[in-house]
Amino acid sequence: MANTKACISGIHGYVPDYVLTNQELEQMVETSDEWIQTRTGIKERRILKEEGKATSDMAAEAVKGLLEKTGTSAEEIELTICATVTPDTPFPDTANTINHKIGAANAWGFDLSAACSGFIYGLSTGARFVESGRYKKVLVIGADMMSSIVNYEDRTTCVIFGDGAGAVLIEPSTNQLGVVDEIMHGDGQGRQYLTLKAGGSLRPPSMETVQNNEHYVFQEGRPVFRAAVKGMTDTVRRLMERNNLTQDDVTWLVPHQANKRIIGSVADALNFPMEKVMVNIDHFGNTTAATIPLCLWELEKELRAGDKLILTAFGGGFTWGASYLEWAYDGA
Ligand code: UT7
């Protein structure tokens, strides 16, 4: 048990202005608003259209808002962890680009690649730095510009994903509320079902990889769906059991937003009424590492100090897990 408790002391988000509606997608691929809404729960998603802008720009906007609302200067930040599968460039990393853009001159940073579980993996990592006693101000960002790797001719993926960024500040807790427990998993066995096949060392870019559309997200939806429901349900159940929590004790379940049917199935299996489940997939779609912080940001005003939250995610890798935290402050 760590002596210093880490807590989320602030949250902010950013989504681009451009709204890509189901109606616009109907003009691009053979799909329908009805199919998309019934199968995924998504009505619209945000897309970063500005020339020359990338993941770090969305993240920097989220962090600027976060610093302002928490009264933190950029120079105070010691470490930035950016969870993303759409870094500005394979290297250098995006975290240090964000540090440069926000003026975090005293920070170091690194990227974390865990697809849709990126934010909870990042929260786990950031919390350990603070619990060590050595770090007092750590940024954890979940940011993805999925539109940069989505094929807008592939109806099985282009209707799902959107762009966005969410950021939290992690500090030592002053009221004993904060990150309590977690169960994290990773298993390379499911990697073929959700992947970007080329562009890495296994299949470097070539004419062939471009012609085969291997630089776009590939997903075989059904096995991912099944594994996501099972992975999140089992993990949340075990986390609740070992912390002696009942559904009544938990104020909010905050699931990764991949599909409203997945969220509903997990909530059902765990006997959580939907009023206790954070959902915003209808207007942001699946923003990969950004979904959980974007949910918390949008519903921040509902949160009260002491609220018990379970965050859970599942994503490519496969990666999955759940975090249990006691929210540390009253939302404004
Ligand atoms: O975020 C990280 C983890 N990712 C996930 O958790 C996503 C998990 N998977 C899913 O959410 C769902 O599997 C999808 C939303 C991706 C797909 O929904 P589904 O209900 O599993 O559909 P399906 O793939 O089984 O396809 C059913 C039918 C197919 O037609 P046939 O073969 O039955 O004739 C598809 O070709 O729906 C067709 N289809 C579409 N039709 C209209 C697939 N995409 C579309 C579309 N519009 N956009």
Side-chain angles (χ1 to χ4, degrees), residues 52 129 156 165 201 212 216 233 261-262 274 290 311:
F129 276 92
T156 69
S201 54
N212 291 343
Y216 291 125
T233 304
R261 288 188 295 139
I262 295 179
M274 283 310 282
L311 321 182

Side-chain angles (χ1 to χ4, degrees), residues 178 180-183 235-253 270-272 276 306-311 322-326:
V180 183
D181 197 8
E182 69 188 28
I183 297 177
T235 316
V236 172
R237 187 173 284 136
R238 280 193 291 130
L239 188 61
M240 286 174 63
E241 272 166 17
R242 88 174 182 198
N243 287 280
N244 298 315
L245 292 172
T246 67
Q247 285 73 1
D248 288 342
D249 300 323
V250 177
T251 326
W252 290 103
L253 179 68
L270 294 165
N271 286 325
F272 269 100
K276 283 186 168 217
D307 280 358
K308 292 177 167 48
L309 272 60
I310 305 251
L311 321 182
S323 318
Y324 165 35
L325 44 108
E326 291 172 331

Side-chain angles (χ1 to χ4, degrees), residues 132-199:
S132 76
R134 186 170 292 184
Y135 288 80
K136 306 269 186 281
K137 291 194 191 294
V138 174
L139 290 175
V140 174
I141 301 165
D144 271 301
M145 183 178 166
M146 294 306 290
S147 62
S148 66
I149 54 168
V150 161
N151 178 358
Y152 286 94
E153 294 179 357
D154 173 9
R155 68 176 184 174
T156 69
T157 50
C158 74
V159 302
I160 299 169
F161 293 104
D163 301 340
V168 295
L169 182 61
I170 305 187
E171 294 186 272
S173 173
T174 53
N175 56 8
Q176 282 312 302
L177 299 171
V179 179
V180 183
D181 197 8
E182 69 188 28
I183 297 177
M184 296 292 158
H185 286 288
D187 176 355
Q189 281 195 51
R191 66 189 181 279
Q192 75 275 22
Y193 296 121
L194 181 49
T195 180
L196 200 69
K197 291 180 182 170

Side-chain angles (χ1 to χ4, degrees), residues 77 100 191:
I77 301 300
H100 175 71
R191 66 189 181 279

Side-chain angles (χ1 to χ4, degrees), residues 4-18:
T4 305
K5 190 159 223 166
C7 72
I8 293 179
S9 56
I11 183 149
H12 204 67
Y14 173 83
V15 288
D17 292 336
Y18 191 85

Side-chain angles (χ1 to χ4, degrees), residues 198-258:
S201 54
L202 182 64
R203 282 187 65 73
S206 66
M207 284 297 282
E208 190 193 345
T209 61
V210 171
Q211 276 157 5
N212 291 343
N213 288 330
E214 291 178 43
H215 297 274
Y216 291 125
V217 177
F218 168 85
Q219 174 168 250
E220 210 176 308
R222 285 183 206 185
V224 181
F225 190 113
R226 279 194 298 272
V229 173
K230 183 173 182 330
M232 289 193 281
T233 304
D234 289 353
T235 316
V236 172
R237 187 173 284 136
R238 280 193 291 130
L239 188 61
M240 286 174 63
E241 272 166 17
R242 88 174 182 198
N243 287 280
N244 298 315
L245 292 172
T246 67
Q247 285 73 1
D248 288 342
D249 300 323
V250 177
T251 326
W252 290 103
L253 179 68
V254 192
H256 166 55
Q257 311 283 304

